[in-house]
Amino acid sequence: AEFADLCDVALVTPHLSTPRIQEGHIAMGHTVCQLVEHALFPPPAKKAVKVSVKAKAKAKPSRSAKPKPKSQAKPSRTPKGRRA
């Protein structure tokens, strides 16, 4: 706690177990690295995609549309042990 008072920013993991403290510091270090990467190399902006009203209508079937009937024909099978 004395050392944290001397720091501008203190990354403190309040735990009594040393491995848990180390895990907290590792997670914080990864987060700092990710923030720096995003600051230096911002992700490219996504392009807006324009969709016409006709394309929307084709993409979404209307609720009143009835499903097509499935074929009633069953596939033919050969008797067990014989080759076709």
Side-chain angles (χ1 to χ4, degrees):
E2 294 173 19
F3 186 73
D5 294 336
L6 300 174
C7 299
D8 292 331
V9 177
L11 302 178
V12 179
T13 306
H15 207 282
L16 297 176
S17 173
T18 302
R20 296 292 169 247
I21 294 169
Q22 290 172 341
E23 288 174 354
H25 290 162
I26 290 170
M28 288 183 245
H30 283 291
T31 303
V32 169
C33 289
Q34 187 175 16
L35 292 171
V36 170
E37 284 182 16
H38 280 283
L40 294 176
F41 310 105
K46 294 183 179 180
K47 293 181 181 179
V49 178
K50 293 183 180 180
V51 180
S52 68
V53 176
K54 290 180 183 179
K56 285 183 182 179
K58 288 180 183 179
K60 271 190 172 178
S62 64
R63 293 181 186 249
S64 63
K66 294 181 181 178
K68 294 180 182 179
K70 293 183 179 180
S71 175
Q72 299 295 330
K74 294 183 179 180
S76 61
R77 295 185 181 177
T78 57
K80 196 172 189 177
R82 295 187 185 174
R83 293 184 180 185

